[in-house]
């Protein structure tokens, strides 16, 4: 089973990437959050991997952090949550915020993810509420997960999506991230993805 891949990042798309390891290109599906952390092709990249073997295929799912992979595994234990839906959830909710949504029964937060309706959100909350304790959050050791640390600023998910889009246009994350953050701060929580990308492009073109 493949648990990690390190090699040249050959290609990045909206929901997947290709990592070239010694001449073999591995197709890895991932959340937009993980994809946004990757360098610009063809630089070296490393992702943790969850390998899923089916009768008709061997599928690889990549993660920037162990906490995200752990939550992917937990989410896919819920009936109706396949790998695609789990990645959609992790694209909009990083582990600490996902933990908070489940712990507080905030179904609206979960329905922000594509493929998650009210009924499935309720099932996720019901089945995982008692399983959240001890799950990794990716936060520094000793951090207490409180209302402050699990609050979901909408702009955070938009920032990851904007960075992914700008990366696809050839901008490096190091130069794009501070610009995206400034644009979102300027919009004061009323950020729309299209507006963030448009304004960021204006600043990057200067």
């Amino acid at each position: 089973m493949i648990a990690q891949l390190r090699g040249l990042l050959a290609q990045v798309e909206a929901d997947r990437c290709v990592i070239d390891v010694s001449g073999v290109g591995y197709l890895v599906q991932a959340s937009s959050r993980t994809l946004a952390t990757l360098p610009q092709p063809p630089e070296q990249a490393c992702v943790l991997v969850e390998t899923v073997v089916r009768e008709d295929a061997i599928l690889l799912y990549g993660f920037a952090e162990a906490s995200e992979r752990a939550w992917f595994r937990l989410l896919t234990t819920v009936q109706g949550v396949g790998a695609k839906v789990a990645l959609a959830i992790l694209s909009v909710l990083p582990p600490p915020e996902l933990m908070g949504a489940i712990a507080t029964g905030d179904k609206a937060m979960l329905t922000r993810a594509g493929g998650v309706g009210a009924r499935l959100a309720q099932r996720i909350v019901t089945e995982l509420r008692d399983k959240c304790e001890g799950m990794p959050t990716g936060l520094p050791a000793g951090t207490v997960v409180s209302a402050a640390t699990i609050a979901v600023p909408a702009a955070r998910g938009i920032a990851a999506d904007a960075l992914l889009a700008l990366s696809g246009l050839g901008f490096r994350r190091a130069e794009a991230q501070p610009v995206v953050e400034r644009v979102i701060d300027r919009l004061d929580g009323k950020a729309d993805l299209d507006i963030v990308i448009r304004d960021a492009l204006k600043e990057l073109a200067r």
Side-chain angles (χ1 to χ4, degrees):
M1 302 291 281
I2 298 173
Q4 177 178 289
L5 286 174
R6 184 187 301 274
L8 285 177
L9 182 64
Q11 183 180 349
V12 178
E13 299 178 9
D15 59 354
R16 66 191 67 190
C17 65
V18 176
I19 298 179
D20 185 327
V21 182
S22 301
V24 178
Y26 292 88
L27 179 65
V28 181
Q29 299 179 62
S31 69
S32 61
R33 195 171 301 277
T34 282
L35 292 171
T37 69
L38 297 177
Q40 189 72 19
E43 295 185 18
Q44 285 281 333
C46 179
V47 293
L48 300 174
V49 171
E50 180 74 0
T51 305
V52 176
V53 179
R54 301 192 323 203
E55 289 185 4
D56 59 342
I58 298 176
L59 304 174
L60 304 179
Y61 299 95
F63 308 93
E65 300 177 352
S67 57
E68 190 182 43
R69 181 170 61 180
W71 276 96
F72 174 84
R73 290 169 174 168
L74 182 63
L75 284 167
T76 52
T77 65
V78 178
Q79 182 182 359
V81 180
K84 183 177 180 179
V85 171
L87 290 179
I89 294 171
L90 291 167
S91 290
V92 299
L93 293 173
E97 294 171 6
L98 177 55
M99 176 182 285
I102 293 172
T104 59
D106 193 338
K107 299 185 291 294
M109 285 171 61
L110 293 167
T111 57
R112 291 172 55 205
V116 180
R119 184 174 299 178
L120 182 55
Q122 181 61 61
R123 186 181 302 145
I124 292 170
V125 168
T126 301
E127 293 190 20
L128 300 186
R129 179 174 285 160
D130 294 335
K131 299 178 181 179
C132 285
E133 187 175 353
M135 285 293 292
T137 63
L139 296 172
T143 301
V144 176
V145 180
S146 62
T149 58
I150 64 177
V152 183
R156 185 174 298 178
I158 289 174
D161 292 340
L163 285 171
L164 181 60
L166 292 169
S167 174
L169 293 173
F171 293 98
R172 297 176 64 86
R173 180 182 176 86
E175 64 177 335
Q177 183 166 356
V179 174
V180 169
E181 290 176 351
R182 282 199 302 272
V183 169
I184 290 175
D185 288 342
R186 186 169 66 242
L187 292 171
D188 193 25
K190 300 177 182 178
D192 177 85
L193 180 59
D194 291 338
I195 295 175
V196 171
I197 294 173
R198 183 196 66 195
D199 289 1
L201 283 171
K202 287 181 181 178
E203 287 198 30
L204 290 165
R206 291 174 185 170

